[in-house]
Amino acid sequence: GEEVAQTPKHLVRGEGQKAKLYCAPIKGHSYVFWYQQVLKNEFKFLISFQNENVFDETGMPKERFSAKCLPNSPCSLEIQATKLEDSAVYFCASSLQGSRTNEKLFFGSGTQLSVL
Amino acid sequence: GNSVTQMEGPVTLSEEAFLTINCTYTATGYPSLFWYVQYPGEGLQLLLKATKADDKGSNKGFEATYRKETTSFHLEKGSVQVSDSAVYFCALMDYNNAGNMLTFGGGTRLMVKP
């Protein structure tokens, strides 16, 4: 597709439940990024993929967060046993290449996760 | 490590006023610099960018100049409109092993009143 598609738009979970978010990058884009936007408008980098391989996961909380980008499937971000502080908007972005000449990131409209 | 610092908001202006949103950065290499805008309920949109020192990015009346000597990339607009009300994010992209990873500032909310 021509835009980054994130689903669902809103997700409500009780504390301790699992949450799974999906992202379909723009067709042909090799890089996918996940960001977490918390209440103070700060964007925290979580993880990036180059095709189906993890490129950088330095921002991922080790214990409860996991992510995948499998061939011919949307990428996913999964949170096991959600906590109240996981409430945020999760943005996915994709880009064509990891080079200076094609550095534009295209962002999806985000998934609002509310943990109650 | 890399970091971006921008002025805290909210910034409240009357229509047609002059806008400046300050942004400074620290980076280990030679980053590209960006301003992104987030309108209410929407994702991020790239507003403008600059890839090297003294470059000026511009779009929709907004401008920002890459100042290496002051490590700054301040956003300016000569005459704001109500439709410019949004949150503005300064960001940098450094070319290391992390590919196209962006480092964002904390965002500045702009409110323009008629």
Side-chain angles (χ1 to χ4, degrees):
Chain A
E2 294 298 315
E3 62 179 25
V4 177
Q6 289 189 248
T7 56
K9 202 168 177 63
H10 302 280
L11 188 59
V12 179
R13 286 290 179 265
E15 209 172 0
Q17 290 185 315
K18 184 173 74 174
K20 195 163 185 178
L21 292 61
Y22 296 93
C23 167
I26 292 174
K27 191 176 179 181
H29 281 194
S30 302
Y31 286 82
V32 171
F33 303 79
W34 284 99
Y35 287 88
Q36 179 193 52
Q37 184 184 27
V38 294
L39 288 176
K40 292 187 72 176
N41 290 329
E42 294 180 0
F43 279 79
K44 179 189 172 189
F45 168 76
L46 295 176
I47 189 169
S48 62
F49 288 84
Q50 181 182 15
N51 297 312
E52 62 266 26
N53 304 308
V54 173
F55 200 75
D56 186 328
E57 56 182 346
T58 52
M60 282 286 269
K62 296 294 182 209
E63 292 156 354
R64 298 179 296 106
F65 284 61
S66 63
K68 293 179 187 177
C69 275
L70 300 176
N72 303 314
S73 298
C75 296
S76 63
L77 176 68
E78 189 168 318
I79 308 173
Q80 302 287 342
T82 53
K83 296 183 178 181
L84 295 176
E85 62 258 32
D86 297 332
S87 296
V89 181
Y90 291 83
F91 284 99
C92 175
S94 70
S95 71
L96 189 60
Q97 297 178 23
S99 71
R100 186 172 281 267
T101 58
N102 288 287
E103 61 197 7
K104 184 175 179 180
L105 265 65
F106 293 80
F107 282 83
S109 55
T111 293
Q112 169 82 59
L113 173 65
S114 299
V115 181
L116 307 176
Chain B
N2 299 330
S3 67
V4 176
T5 303
Q6 58 184 107
M7 58 191 291
E8 288 195 22
V11 173
T12 304
L13 296 173
S14 297
E15 210 166 17
E16 299 183 4
F18 184 85
L19 168 71
T20 300
I21 301 178
N22 290 338
C23 170
T24 57
Y25 67 90
T26 56
T28 52
Y30 297 93
S32 293
L33 302 174
F34 303 81
W35 277 99
Y36 279 83
V37 57
Q38 185 180 29
Y39 297 102
E42 298 184 13
L44 289 176
Q45 299 175 29
L46 178 65
L47 181 60
L48 54 86
K49 71 174 186 181
T51 57
K52 62 183 188 299
D54 299 326
D55 267 4
K56 179 186 281 188
S58 61
N59 185 27
K60 299 181 181 179
F62 290 89
E63 291 183 342
T65 301
Y66 189 142
R67 301 284 187 205
K68 191 165 181 291
E69 63 277 14
T70 54
T71 60
S72 65
F73 194 54
H74 305 320
L75 182 68
E76 296 182 337
K77 187 174 185 182
S79 176
V80 293
Q81 305 300 313
V82 173
S83 57
D84 293 328
S85 298
V87 182
Y88 292 81
F89 292 90
C90 186
L92 72 81
M93 185 181 291
D94 204 351
Y95 291 87
N96 53 25
N97 292 332
N100 286 1
M101 190 180 88
L102 282 167
T103 301
F104 286 93
T108 302
R109 182 175 298 279
L110 170 65
M111 297 165 51
V112 180
K113 297 186 175 180

